[in-house]
Amino acid sequence: MSYKTIIVESVGKVAVIRLHRPEALNAINSELIGELSVALRSCEAAPSIGCIVITGSEKAFAAGADIREMADKSFSDVLLGDFAATWDCIAHVRKPVIAAVAGFALGGGCELAMHCDMIVAADNARFGQPEIKLGIIPGIGGTQRLTRAIGKAKAMDLCLSGRLMDATEAERSGLVARVVPLADLMAETMRTAEAVAAMPLAALLLAKEAVNRAFESSLAEGLAFERRAFHALFATDDQKEGMAAFIDRRPPHFSRM
Ligand code: CAA
């Protein structure tokens, strides 16, 4: 499949999806989100892929939803067209997804990064929800995922003032997993992605689902889900292999189911 707004390649068990609208700092329009959705579905279906990396350019991960595409829309356009609903495709990916963020991750770009399971940031990364300056608010999870990630005080600070947060502040606030020099961003992210992709697939899917439950359920429900998922993994060959390999002091050979 050939795409116009993204570039997709596989490196071993890792699929790398690069946002590619350099003329607009990777602003996310409906074509890009449509292509991203197709690419993610295909990575999800490919047995050879264990982890997905989404990245942009050195200057911008993505500078937001495409303002030119939105500017003339009316209330009924966005309501009846359920504008932005298609972004849910990212949240529904079951395999691990890592965002490698350099440069601007603003508005929908920050929201796209937050849809991912973890963010690795270059030291030039800047995050923000500047929608307020356009007379709107974040519409793709910015007020919700950002608040869960960094707490009310900082989420309010960013959403109400539209100010940007640098990589150091983003790491300190819990938005990003780690910050690396720009020159090392892809190498570091790929090392992490390859390590993740080498893990047994069933355990990966359930670990991701269990962590996400922490945001969507009570502690008691989350703990019950975790325990059942933990129990279920004892039905897999990979649990037998992983534990046998530990006891035999040899590397495990996972089946990936
Ligand atoms: N949509 C459309 N085009 C965009 C864009 C966006 N979100 N962000 C940047 N561009 C375009 C610019 O219009 C410009 O194109 P032209 O050269 O054709 O004019 C090109 O990308 C380069 O941008 P700048 O010249 O502005 O680059 P800069 O380095 O001076 O500034 C920036 C960079 C601070 C990121 C600035 O571009 C900017 O503020 N962009 C908008 C950020 C924003 O408001 N994002 C939120 C969008 S709304 C949203 O995302 C809603 C939602 O939740 C769904």
Side-chain angles (χ1 to χ4, degrees):
M1 162 105 196
S2 74
Y3 300 103
K4 276 164 49 186
T5 61
I6 56 174
I7 297 166
V8 183
E9 59 172 338
S10 300
V11 183
K13 292 175 176 167
V14 179
V16 180
I17 302 176
R18 186 175 292 278
L19 311 182
H20 187 63
R21 292 191 70 217
E23 72 285 1
L25 298 182
N26 294 332
I28 302 165
N29 61 8
S30 45
E31 184 176 33
L32 190 153
I33 204 70
E35 291 190 346
L36 183 60
S37 157
V38 171
L40 286 171
R41 269 204 305 276
S42 125
C43 295
E44 186 83 325
S48 58
I49 296 299
C51 185
I52 301 160
V53 170
I54 301 180
T55 193
S57 69
E58 289 195 352
K59 180 159 187 203
F61 177 73
D66 191 310
I67 299 169
R68 286 194 170 80
E69 191 179 65
M70 287 184 293
D72 293 330
K73 286 191 189 297
S74 67
F75 170 63
S76 56
D77 289 336
V78 293
L79 178 71
L80 301 181
D82 204 6
F83 182 70
T86 48
W87 291 56
D88 288 350
C89 65
I90 309 154
H92 293 144
V93 176
R94 295 168 70 214
K95 290 178 181 171
V97 186
I98 302 177
V101 174
F104 296 110
L106 307 183
C110 186
E111 290 166 309
L112 172 58
M114 290 191 294
H115 273 79
C116 300
D117 302 314
M118 73 172 102
I119 301 174
V120 180
D123 50 12
N124 76 337
R126 300 185 76 194
F127 298 87
Q129 299 291 161
E131 288 90 342
I132 198 86
K133 295 179 177 175
L134 301 169
I136 54 171
I137 66 168
I140 309 162
T143 62
Q144 304 303 300
R145 289 195 177 91
L146 189 66
T147 307
R148 283 166 167 77
I150 68 176
K152 176 180 168 181
K154 270 200 187 286
M156 283 288 188
D157 181 7
L158 297 189
C159 291
L160 300 186
S161 73
R163 85 167 172 89
L164 308 190
M165 181 163 72
D166 66 19
T168 308
E169 184 182 359
E171 185 183 31
R172 200 173 60 231
S173 309
L175 181 63
V176 313
R178 72 183 84 137
V179 179
V180 299
L182 174 59
D184 301 338
L185 177 66
M186 286 317 290
E188 276 292 325
T189 307
M190 291 305 288
R191 241 193 305 279
T192 304
E194 279 156 14
V196 169
M199 297 301 159
L201 188 57
L204 275 181
L205 300 185
L206 287 176
K208 170 170 173 166
E209 199 175 345
V211 173
N212 282 332
R213 281 290 166 115
F215 295 100
E216 283 158 13
S217 61
S218 67
L219 179 61
E221 286 163 340
L223 289 172
F225 177 85
E226 180 194 79
R227 189 162 311 152
R228 287 293 166 263
F230 171 75
H231 292 162
L233 287 166
F234 283 77
T236 64
D237 291 343
D238 285 339
Q239 174 267 330
K240 300 289 173 292
E241 169 61 11
M243 293 193 181
F246 175 83
I247 291 163
D248 297 347
R249 296 184 175 273
R250 61 171 174 80
H253 300 289
F254 293 124
S255 66
R256 307 207 50 75
M257 292 180 64

